[in-house]
Amino acid sequence: MTTDVTTGEVTAEAGRPARHAKVVLISVIGLHLVAETALTPFLPQLFERLYGITDPGATGGYLWICRIVGLAALPLWGLAARRWPLHRLVLAGLCGSAVFDLLLGLAPSHAAYTALSGAVVATNSALLLAYPAFVAEHDGDGRPGGERDGERARLAGICSIVVVFHLSTVVATAVGAGVLALPEPRVGISAFAVLDVALAVLTFRVLGRRAAPRPAPAAVEAPRRGVRFAVLAQAALIGVAFDFSVNVARPFFTGFADGLGVGPAGSAVLFFLPSVAALAVLPVVRRCHGLLGDRLLPAALAAGAAGLAWQALSSSVAGLAGGRLLFGVGLGLAQVAVELWAFRATGTAGPAFTAVETVRSAGLLAAPLVAATAASHDLALPIAVAAAVQVFAVALSARRAGAVPVQPALTYSKEI
């Protein structure tokens, strides 16, 4: 959003491109989340139906390979973002995903499906660049009032993304269940290519017309290198623990819920129940952050850990639902707190964001392997592991590594 230099007022005409850019960027983020998670809770059933594979290790190995590809691709996209405009990289990712999604539905074997899925993950990693760009758009909306105003602006952008994350989880779960219910699931898998193409057209029409980036007002004095590294390392480790704990409980949850006799539809509802609870608690996130400040993160993680432990020990559907709701409350608050902490350390411009996100991918990489190993002993064990890791994250986040000012951003950045 720009300001008239003679009056100092923000004009509607100047604000319209920024609003359009936000819509496109949040749509890219939503598509990335849906594409990444739609089939995850149904992979064991999908592999059994398409290829006759029932070994839990096949699901764990598949997810592990996809995470390895994502871990390798993300820093490469981050480096590319330093040379080419954002919309070109997002366009390339969308076009590549459209091709591979189309081919994915035609995969003749589990090995081919895994290879094509790795290609989809590699191209989809470009869409993650829309995340800091969307937060940077909110930085541009804020008034230059120092760290406090910068954090408020980012909090608004992060809350919007968390809302989209949970809405995408609900949508993705419904889409995944719908794909599995089709007489021919391959048609539903290939249909993702249509969404890729539609969003590629919007990206070209809106982001392709944006003006060159303009630097935001200079930030306060940069912190010492040792302090900055400590804050980045702590943010990355908290992110690793949080991402791991959330994802280790996902792949085999529907199987665990089926064991309580809820059926496929009931398992799907229980799967996205935490997202419903998280959406319900998001309207009070700003108030909670105002009251607790940095203590919000350990408090939210503690609530999430309690909810996970409740689930692991549940022997009834009602108990499982209660644990899912408590976990969702902690999840909604913790997601905002974790991301706010990360952006405080990395900013929205420069290589720090992709560096921290790459380290955080380690949690996503380890989760499917640990989940498959644990599930082979007991389907409740991955949830118990998730609870233990969140307790570790509580201890890790209870003490800040050092004070660091809010990092600067670009109103619309080519470097992310």
Side-chain angles (χ1 to χ4, degrees):
M1 185 172 290
T2 59
T3 305
D4 190 305
V5 294
T6 59
T7 65
E9 296 179 354
V10 178
T11 64
E13 182 179 357
R16 192 174 299 116
R19 289 195 299 271
H20 292 170
K22 287 179 184 177
V23 171
V24 172
L25 289 169
I26 204 71
S27 299
V28 170
I29 294 167
L31 176 63
H32 171 76
L33 292 169
V34 171
E36 287 283 305
T37 61
L39 296 175
T40 299
F42 306 101
L43 284 174
Q45 298 94 317
L46 183 68
F47 290 157
E48 181 179 5
R49 187 168 173 186
L50 293 183
Y51 307 114
I53 296 175
T54 58
D55 181 12
T59 298
Y62 166 86
L63 292 173
W64 184 76
I65 290 173
C66 289
R67 298 305 184 194
I68 281 283
V69 173
L71 183 65
L74 181 57
L76 296 179
W77 285 113
L79 291 174
R82 305 188 68 176
R83 293 192 58 186
W84 290 286
L86 170 77
H87 74 278
R88 293 185 184 177
L89 299 179
V90 173
L91 267 177
L94 288 168
C95 292
S97 295
V99 173
F100 292 122
D101 278 333
L102 184 63
L103 295 175
L104 192 61
L106 306 176
S109 66
H110 179 263
Y113 189 94
T114 301
L116 287 169
S117 294
V120 171
V121 170
T123 52
N124 258 346
S125 295
L127 308 189
L128 192 61
L129 297 176
Y131 188 1
F134 181 78
V135 175
E137 289 288 342
H138 285 76
D139 282 335
D141 289 343
R143 297 176 182 177
E147 179 176 343
R148 186 179 181 87
D149 287 342
E151 189 141 312
R152 284 176 179 172
R154 288 179 182 175
L155 183 61
I158 291 168
C159 285
S160 299
I161 289 176
V162 173
V163 168
V164 170
F165 174 86
H166 290 292
L167 288 175
S168 298
T169 299
V170 176
V171 171
T173 305
V175 169
V179 169
L180 199 64
L182 289 173
E184 183 49 76
R186 295 177 183 275
V187 175
I189 295 171
S190 294
F192 280 102
V194 178
L195 295 176
D196 294 328
V197 172
L199 200 50
V201 172
L202 283 176
T203 301
F204 178 77
R205 290 175 61 86
V206 176
L207 296 186
R209 299 175 181 178
R210 293 300 302 276
R214 295 178 302 160
V220 296
E221 184 181 356
R224 297 189 309 275
R225 179 175 298 180
V227 173
R228 177 75 189 282
F229 177 80
V231 173
L232 286 172
Q234 187 182 29
L237 288 174
I238 291 172
V240 167
F242 178 72
D243 292 344
F244 174 86
S245 65
V246 171
N247 284 276
V248 75
R250 291 172 63 90
F252 300 98
F253 174 79
T254 55
F256 172 68
D258 280 340
L260 298 178
V262 298
S267 297
V269 172
L270 286 169
F271 183 82
F272 66 69
L273 198 57
S275 292
V276 176
L279 287 171
V281 80
L282 281 176
V284 301
V285 166
R286 294 188 190 186
R287 180 172 298 180
C288 292
H289 182 264
L291 291 173
L292 298 175
D294 288 338
R295 291 173 295 175
L296 175 62
L297 181 54
L301 290 170
L308 287 165
W310 186 358
Q311 294 175 58
L313 297 173
S314 293
S315 57
S316 67
V317 176
L320 183 58
R324 296 294 281 174
L325 288 172
L326 179 58
F327 169 61
V329 170
L331 179 65
L333 295 174
Q335 279 183 306
V336 174
V338 167
E339 299 304 327
L340 187 61
W341 200 314
F343 276 115
R344 180 189 297 157
T346 68
T348 56
F353 173 80
T354 50
V356 169
E357 286 298 309
T358 300
V359 174
R360 288 179 63 171
S361 297
L364 301 178
L365 180 63
L369 292 177
V370 174
T373 302
S376 65
H377 296 283
D378 190 328
L379 288 176
L381 194 53
I383 305 175
V385 170
V389 173
Q390 282 222 356
V391 170
F392 169 74
V394 171
L396 192 62
S397 62
R399 181 176 180 273
R400 280 191 70 173
V404 60
V406 175
Q407 297 301 311
L410 296 179
T411 300
Y412 182 71
S413 177
K414 291 183 181 179
E415 287 191 351
I416 299 176

